[in-house]
Amino acid sequence: MKNKIIQLMVTSCFIFSLTTVNAQEKVKEPLNIIVFGAHPDDCDNKMGGTAALFAEMGHRVKFVSVTNGDAGHYEKGGGHLAKIRRAEAEEAGKRLGIEYTVLDNHDGELFPTIEVRHQVIREIRKWNADVVLTHRPVDYHPDHRYTGVLVQDAAYLVIVPNVTPDTPPLKKNPVFLYLQDHFQKPTPFKADITVDITSVFDKKMDALDAHTSQFYEWLPWTAGMLSKVPKNEKDKRTFLINAWSRPVSDNARASLTKWYGSEKAKKAKHVESFEVCEYGKQPTDEDIRRLFPMLNN
C-alpha cells in the first residue's frame, strides 16, 4: 500500500511538472493584441470571447476605448457617466483577464484629428502590437467610423520614427484586422478569420454584464425595450444572452471550416470573425495560425 501511495505521488508530481512546462511554453513568447473600440463596451461585444481565449493561453490583450462614453445614456451624462463607464470597463477587463484603457475623448464628438491619431499610434507602439483590431470605417455611428479611420491612418505610421517621436516606433508593422459588422455598402464584411468561442462564451457574457449602464440601460432604451429588462440577476443574464448571442452565419461557418475542419466547425455554437485590412502586414495562412494559436487546437 505504501509503495502504491509513493507511486501515485511521483506520478502526480510528474504530471504537474509537465503541466507547468506546457504553461511556460505557452507564455514563453506571448503575443501582443490590441483592440480599438469607439466606446467602452465595443471591444467586449466584438471580441470578448477571442480575448478571453488569448488571455487563457498566456498572451497579452489590451482593449482601448477611443472615447470615454460620456454621452451614451438617457439620464446620466458628462463626467459622471464617463466615470461610471471607465469603472465598468475596468471590471470587464478583470473578468476577461486583460488590460482596458479608456481615452479621454468625448463620446459623439470623435473626429480623426492629428491629436487623436497620435494617441492611437502611442497605444499601438507602447503595446508593441503584433495584431491590431478595430471597426471598419463603414458603420452607422460616426465614432465607430472615425475610430476605424484613425487606426487605418496609424497602420503605416507606427513604424515611422519622425511621426509621434515621443514614443519609439515599432520595428515591424503589425497585422491590422477589422471587427465584424453587418453593413453591406460599399462592401460587406468578409470573415477571413473565425474563432470558435463556445468554450469562453460565458466569460464574454461576464464582460458584457460588467457594462451595466449599457447592456441593461442605454442599449435597451434605444431599442425601446427598457421595460423588458428583468430585475433579478438570473433573468437579466438570460436577457443578455438572448439579446447578444448571434447564430453562426454561412460566411462565418465557411471560415470556421477552413481553420478548424468540418467536424469541429459543425460543433461551434458561438463565434467571432475578423477581416484582414489591406493596410499593415498582409498575413499568410501560416501567419494567421501563429497569431491566432487557438485555431490550431
Side-chain angles (χ1 to χ4, degrees), residues 103-163:
L103 303 181
D104 200 19
N105 301 301
H106 289 301
D107 183 357
E109 300 180 8
L110 187 67
F111 200 74
T113 63
I114 297 297
E115 179 187 358
V116 184
R117 183 195 298 172
H118 288 323
Q119 294 174 10
V120 170
I121 290 172
R122 290 188 190 104
E123 291 292 335
I124 295 171
R125 287 177 174 177
K126 288 187 294 185
W127 200 246
N128 192 25
D130 296 295
V131 182
V132 182
L133 300 98
T134 192
H135 305 282
R136 289 199 307 160
V138 178
D139 199 285
Y140 79 102
H141 200 304
D143 288 351
H144 293 184
R145 292 198 299 270
Y146 292 140
T147 296
V149 170
L150 284 159
V151 176
Q152 281 186 344
D153 289 348
Y156 170 67
L157 298 179
V158 292
I159 65 171
V160 180
N162 284 324
V163 174

Side-chain angles (χ1 to χ4, degrees), residues 29-99:
E29 294 184 12
L31 295 162
N32 300 318
I33 315 298
I34 190 166
V35 191
F36 290 88
H39 308 107
D41 58 293
D42 288 334
C43 298
D44 318 54
N45 189 20
K46 299 290 188 178
M47 198 188 158
T50 305
L53 287 173
F54 272 121
E56 286 183 358
M57 299 177 81
H59 300 292
R60 301 174 67 241
V61 181
K62 184 174 188 177
F63 284 177
V64 178
S65 176
V66 181
T67 78
N68 60 18
D70 60 358
H73 206 274
Y74 54 92
E75 289 180 338
K76 307 161 189 173
H80 174 61
L81 179 58
K83 184 176 180 180
I84 291 171
R85 300 204 64 185
R86 189 180 301 274
E88 290 173 345
E90 289 175 357
E91 176 60 26
K94 290 177 184 177
R95 295 182 185 188
L96 292 173
I98 66 168
E99 292 196 30

Side-chain angles (χ1 to χ4, degrees), residues 19 22 49 112 117 131 152 154 174-175 201 204 216-217 222 257 277 283:
T19 303
N22 288 337
R117 183 195 298 172
V131 182
Q152 281 186 344
V175 170
F201 180 72
K204 177 174 181 173
Y216 300 126
E217 297 172 12
T222 63
T257 301
C277 174

